[in-house]
Amino acid sequence: MTDHHIGMIVPSSNLTMETELPRMMREREDVVPEDRFVFHSSRMRMRHVTPEQLRAMNAQTGRAALELADARPDVVATACLVAIMAQGPGYHCTAEDEITGVLRAEGSQAPVISSAGALLDGIKALGAGRVAIVTPYLKPLTQLVADYIEDAGVEVVDALSLEVPDNLAVARLDPADLRDHWKRLDLSRADALVLSACVQMPSLPSIQPVEDAAGLPVLSAATATAYRVLVELGLPTVVPGAGSLLGGRVPGPAGG
């Protein structure tokens, strides 16, 4: 057996990333028992999803990355999608480069991914040129997310904002409700559905049921992050019951 060490940089109020990503990897261990996964987290202070608190949280990235470097992870994922997308198109590259610089200065060679970049990669890997999205954010932040995705060359054909500003309240949302929420979207032109464009909004139990009901690929920021983690580790992208992206048939991104 091989232990793969995954470092995560998460908002202090995020309860979901450290739930859904390990859960996916445990499901994977049931079918690929030779790979095991160990998780190490560093936190950045943020309670409310506002532009001010998102900027303040981003300023803590260097410190959080420095703490993770000491654990010598095999891959590092920074997991607050909107904090990155709110800074403007392409900012995930800047954030990933900042973390990479800190790790390299400490002698760590771990590849770095972001949930924002992973979502774009997941959409691209599915061959989707048009998506619909569900977010927990207020409408102005959802628009920033849509603009970010569209800047990457993917049309957002419809978006649903659940408008929950308190980050802890987002974590308490019932993922089963998404099995009804998606029906409020116009999917007539969509190639894929992003059921949760947020790593804090729980969605994993609904990914496969909604995909089966909608008849098109369904992903989330969390499943896309799991996909990129597996790609960077050089492992088959297989997680049972987590949608087409993790069905083992989607190729890794170019250079991944």
Side-chain angles (χ1 to χ4, degrees):
M1 292 186 180
T2 301
D3 284 345
H4 304 281
H5 292 258
I6 300 171
M8 293 191 292
I9 299 176
V10 297
S12 59
S13 53
N14 187 297
L15 308 180
T16 305
M17 193 62 185
E18 292 159 307
T19 301
E20 292 198 341
L21 192 60
R23 184 172 295 161
M24 281 186 272
M25 296 310 179
R26 286 196 299 271
E27 293 291 333
R28 189 183 187 280
E29 289 173 7
D30 288 342
V31 296
V32 190
E34 59 267 28
D35 292 317
R36 299 185 303 186
F37 301 88
V38 183
F39 295 87
H40 313 280
S41 296
S42 184
R43 314 190 82 75
M44 303 187 297
R45 191 78 192 278
M46 187 272 285
R47 292 193 62 190
H48 297 283
V49 187
T50 64
E52 296 76 19
Q53 289 204 20
L54 293 175
R55 283 193 296 270
M57 183 181 69
N58 285 337
Q60 303 167 55
T61 299
R63 186 266 308 158
L66 189 63
E67 293 174 1
L68 275 182
D70 293 343
R72 288 297 186 263
D74 298 309
V75 60
V76 169
T78 181
C80 185
L81 180 140
V82 73
I84 287 176
M85 290 191 175
Q87 307 312 310
Y91 188 79
H92 67 280
C93 297
T94 301
E96 291 168 9
D97 287 346
E98 179 184 356
I99 296 167
T100 298
V102 173
L103 295 177
R104 298 297 178 271
E106 294 299 310
S108 169
Q109 299 304 310
V112 175
I113 64 175
S114 64
S115 56
L119 182 60
L120 299 180
D121 286 336
I123 293 169
K124 182 177 180 181
L126 289 169
R130 298 181 299 272
V131 299
I133 64 174
V134 181
T135 86
Y137 312 129
L138 299 178
K139 288 180 180 179
L141 282 177
T142 296
Q143 187 60 53
L144 288 177
V145 170
D147 291 345
Y148 199 100
I149 293 171
E150 293 204 324
D151 182 78
V154 178
E155 182 183 355
V156 178
V157 299
D158 202 2
L160 174 63
S161 301
L162 300 183
E163 300 195 88
V164 183
D166 184 284
N167 208 37
L168 283 172
V170 171
R172 291 192 292 266
L173 293 172
D174 186 347
D177 290 343
L178 290 167
R179 302 185 193 193
D180 292 319
H181 288 325
W182 75 271
K183 298 174 184 176
R184 298 160 60 187
L185 292 162
D186 180 359
L187 301 181
S188 59
R189 297 180 55 245
D191 301 318
L193 168 61
V194 181
L195 196 60
S196 176
C198 172
V199 289
Q200 174 74 326
M201 184 167 73
S203 63
L204 185 58
S206 292
I207 295 288
Q208 194 65 56
V210 172
E211 178 166 305
D212 294 341
L216 77 169
V218 173
L219 71 162
S220 69
T223 63
T225 301
Y227 168 78
R228 274 300 308 276
V229 164
L230 292 171
V231 167
E232 294 298 339
L233 292 173
L235 302 175
T237 53
V238 176
V239 175
S244 295
L245 184 63
L246 290 166
R249 296 180 298 277
V250 176

